[in-house]
Amino acid sequence: MEKVLVANRGEIAVRIMKTCREMGLSTVAVYSDADRAALHVSYADEAYRLGPGPATESYLRTDLILEVARRAGADAIHPGYGFLSENATFADACVSAGITFIGPPASAMRTLGSKTKARQAADLSGMPRVPGSVTGLSSVQEAIATASQIGYPVMLKAAAGGGGKGMRAVWSQAELPSAYVGASSEAERSFGSGEVYLEKLIQCPRHIEIQVIADMHGNCLYLGERECSVQRRHQKVIEEAPSAVVGEDLRRRMGEAAVRLALSAGYVNAGTVEFLLDAEQKFYFLEMNTRLQVEHPVTELITGLDLVEMQLHVAMGQKLRLRQDEVQLRGHAIECRIYAEDPGNNFLPSPGKITRLLQPSGPGVREDCGVYEGWNVPLEYDPMLSKLITYGATREAAISRMLRALDDYVIGGIRTNLGLFRRILSDSDFRSANIDTGYLDRLLSQVASDKDGSVPEQIISLAAVILSERREKVKASSAVALASRWKSAGRSEGLRA
Ligand code: MV4
């Protein structure tokens, strides 16, 4: 392998290319018309235009991407996350064209891509899963019969789904017929398949996932867990590793179950096994993501490993270079997903020109960024700007560093969710790791009710949000404030000299 085409954009494209460079591999970027001036384009050794802005005419055009690979002489393609990363047909097409797909075999992607087939694979490997059906339901009658067996509340889910689409919680038999029709038609619209199945509803679960990586020689490792319970509308907002509630024994049991599933599904390369963890610390298999995930850096920081490097080694046919007993978790890492969006206006995307960008750095701070000062954030794609990741010896240290790094971060010209992170990281429930998948919704409705409420404590928390937003604006718009901030830093340097 000598030349890698990265079939993606933004921070993940840049992050993948950084490792390629370190390994002496040359890099090929692809871009749409909306991304001509994007960071990943200038970072790559070569860059090729795909087509117009919409992803369906550019980043999702498998034919154009394979044509670029041929023209550029790339011998491997890294799909990143999203776009074509979980498309088994694309993985097959790469192999047919003689190009290495840096990801799992298409067959494993197909098995695990179907949620019902994945549940069957879980059973085969002895993995604990949520009670319920392992095949699609064929009628409302069958749904009623199955739900009676499981016991209410239950959850309807799309077999082809993921990400919460085509999902309905059902609390009683009376609600089931309309929920069945609703979930099935939403699944049909979203995924082209109306197949749905039933699961027992797990209430107030935590979302914990295990990173695995397997080579082509039958070796597979688990690299600890990530806690991803801070979510909004099935979009993760903050992730951390390790989870504050996962001890050594639970970690080993979840990790070994994840490895068994990966091996039994013929999995190769990096993947993530998602679990729900209930209040009694029982874990249930949810699904397996067959890609490198957005939140992989927190695992990298606590393991000291480079997951992209491992992906490339594995894709080259090499053996994993360490054994399970050599995987050591150290310290704590937290990631905040920085978005161009307006938390004060229903999280509406806020594309536009970045007029000012001061990026945090320093001890224990990593920023995986896809933008630069002066660039126009396009409206065509997911508006994630960067990921801010901090590391510390303890969870408290990582949080303190994150608060410092957020204060050091200046993004001018567009609205961002920086202020929201300050709010979450100073919240007492978050600080005591008292979080579940409903945590952020509860916090946000509290902030919203503060706006018309009269409870002094809530007024104080609202004031904190407003003040941090004002501070944001002052930092971003006032050149004088910025100059004096840096000048005073310079002056104290001078005094010391
Ligand atoms: C569940 C569940 C409770 N019980 N399944 C949401 C997205 C999809 N991947 C699975 N999801 C859930 N499945 C059962 N049987 C609760 C969720 C869920 C959730 C899961 C992970 C992270 C955030 C979530 C937010 C709401 C619901």
Side-chain angles (χ1 to χ4, degrees):
M1 195 185 292
E2 284 171 8
K3 197 186 257 198
V4 178
L5 184 154
V6 180
N8 214 300
R9 61 182 302 281
E11 64 85 20
I12 194 64
V14 175
R15 188 262 167 271
I16 292 162
M17 291 179 203
K18 285 182 194 289
T19 291
C20 290
R21 283 218 171 153
E22 290 172 19
M23 294 173 70
L25 301 165
S26 47
T27 55
V28 180
V30 289
Y31 62 93
S32 73
D33 288 340
D35 270 344
R36 250 186 306 246
L39 187 64
H40 75 281
V41 173
S42 51
Y43 195 80
D45 297 320
E46 309 164 52
Y48 295 81
R49 174 182 180 269
L50 291 171
T56 49
E57 296 173 61
S58 50
Y59 296 107
L60 292 170
R61 282 284 300 270
T62 58
D63 55 337
L64 296 178
I65 290 166
L66 286 167
E67 170 59 19
V68 169
R70 196 194 56 77
R71 263 204 294 162
D75 34 40
I77 295 183
H78 196 306
Y81 54 71
F83 296 124
L84 297 167
S85 59
E86 293 178 280
N87 185 322
T89 309
F90 179 61
D92 271 335
C94 289
V95 174
S96 301
I99 291 164
T100 301
F101 177 78
I102 302 165
S107 57
M109 289 166 84
R110 286 198 176 92
T111 305
L112 298 162
S114 154
K115 307 305 158 202
T116 43
K117 279 190 200 152
R119 283 165 65 76
Q120 294 165 29
D123 286 351
L124 280 175
S125 73
M127 162 82 85
R129 58 156 174 85
V130 188
S133 45
V134 292
T135 53
L137 299 163
S138 50
S139 65
V140 180
Q141 285 71 30
E142 194 189 347
I144 289 172
T146 309
S148 309
Q149 273 169 24
I150 307 169
Y152 289 89
V154 296
M155 193 165 237
L156 282 162
K157 292 186 176 184
K165 280 215 183 96
M167 211 172 81
R168 295 277 192 290
V170 186
W171 295 81
S172 69
Q173 182 163 322
E175 300 168 22
L176 190 50
S178 67
Y180 179 85
V181 173
S184 182
S185 61
E186 191 176 314
E188 179 72 52
R189 275 197 309 276
S190 311
F191 313 111
S193 157
E195 191 185 344
V196 294
Y197 66 100
L198 266 174
E199 281 183 8
K200 178 93 188 161
L201 178 76
I202 309 293
Q203 294 180 58
C204 302
R206 284 173 179 255
H207 175 133
I208 310 274
E209 57 188 31
I210 300 277
Q211 177 72 56
V212 297
I213 186 153
D215 65 21
M216 296 173 188
H217 309 278
N219 306 300
C220 184
L221 301 170
Y222 62 92
L223 305 177
E225 78 284 357
R226 294 185 285 259
E227 160 96 53
C228 309
S229 296
V230 181
Q231 306 213 359
R232 184 184 163 271
R233 306 219 169 140
H234 306 296
Q235 293 272 35
K236 294 167 186 164
V237 173
I238 295 181
E239 305 96 342
E240 55 184 299
S243 164
V245 296
V246 175
E248 243 175 77
D249 176 65
L250 180 58
R251 177 173 304 122
R252 184 181 313 111
R253 287 186 289 122
M254 292 177 84
E256 288 176 355
V259 164
R260 275 197 304 273
L261 172 67
L263 290 174
S264 88
Y267 201 84
V268 176
N269 218 292
T272 299
V273 182
E274 292 190 356
F275 295 94
L276 295 178
L277 186 70
D278 72 11
E280 276 75 57
Q281 296 259 82
K282 278 187 73 178
F283 65 90
Y284 305 90
F285 169 70
L286 205 51
E287 51 195 69
M288 181 161 179
N289 298 320
T290 59
R291 59 170 190 277
L292 181 72
Q293 287 192 265
V294 175
E295 59 272 26
H296 76 276
V298 292
T299 298
E300 294 187 320
L301 292 185
I302 65 156
T303 58
L305 298 167
D306 179 335
L307 279 164
V308 173
E309 180 186 39
M310 294 174 93
Q311 285 194 294
L312 289 162
H313 284 153
V314 161
M316 292 172 189
Q318 297 180 13
K319 284 187 179 169
L320 288 167
R321 298 181 182 194
L322 72 173
R323 297 185 313 264
Q324 189 63 56
D325 63 10
E326 294 171 309
V327 175
Q328 286 187 34
L329 307 188
R330 206 170 157 213
H332 198 97
I334 301 185
E335 170 177 282
C336 293
R337 298 192 185 187
I338 314 297
Y339 271 82
E341 65 182 16
D342 185 0
N345 188 10
N346 203 26
F347 294 86
L348 218 68
S350 174
K353 184 168 175 171
I354 298 173
T355 55
R356 175 81 68 187
L357 186 66
L358 294 178
Q359 296 162 282
S361 61
V365 176
R366 165 172 170 179
E367 192 214 8
D368 281 20
C369 186
V371 302
Y372 59 89
E373 186 171 298
W375 193 53
N376 237 299
V377 180
L379 44 74
E380 275 87 350
Y381 316 106
D382 179 273
M384 191 170 75
L385 302 169
S386 75
K387 304 183 304 208
L388 181 56
I389 310 116
T390 59
Y391 175 83
T394 62
R395 187 170 188 268
E396 292 68 36
I399 291 175
S400 302
R401 281 203 163 133
M402 185 60 82
L403 285 165
R404 185 268 292 174
L406 287 165
D407 271 352
D408 288 352
Y409 212 153
V410 178
I411 304 175
I414 54 175
R415 293 196 171 271
T416 72
N417 60 352
L418 281 172
L420 174 67
F421 291 115
R422 267 184 222 116
R423 177 74 184 84
I424 298 170
L425 292 169
S426 16
D427 176 57
S428 63
D429 279 330
F430 181 83
R431 290 240 177 194
S432 54
N434 182 23
I435 47 177
D436 61 67
T437 53
Y439 164 80
L440 188 53
D441 285 341
R442 289 194 298 274
L443 185 79
L444 290 170
S445 65
Q446 185 197 322
V447 172
S449 72
D450 287 351
K451 286 183 183 165
D452 42 52
S454 54
V455 184
E457 215 177 5
Q458 293 181 331
I459 288 171
I460 291 163
S461 77
L462 176 63
V465 172
I466 292 168
L467 282 172
S468 73
E469 276 171 3
R470 172 140 21 115
R471 188 191 152 103
E472 200 66 43
K473 279 184 199 146
V474 169
K475 278 201 295 178
S477 63
S478 163
V480 176
L482 274 172
S484 73
R485 186 166 162 234
W486 295 119
K487 207 161 65 192
S488 64
R491 205 181 299 133
S492 57
E493 255 341 91
L495 282 174
R496 240 178 275 126

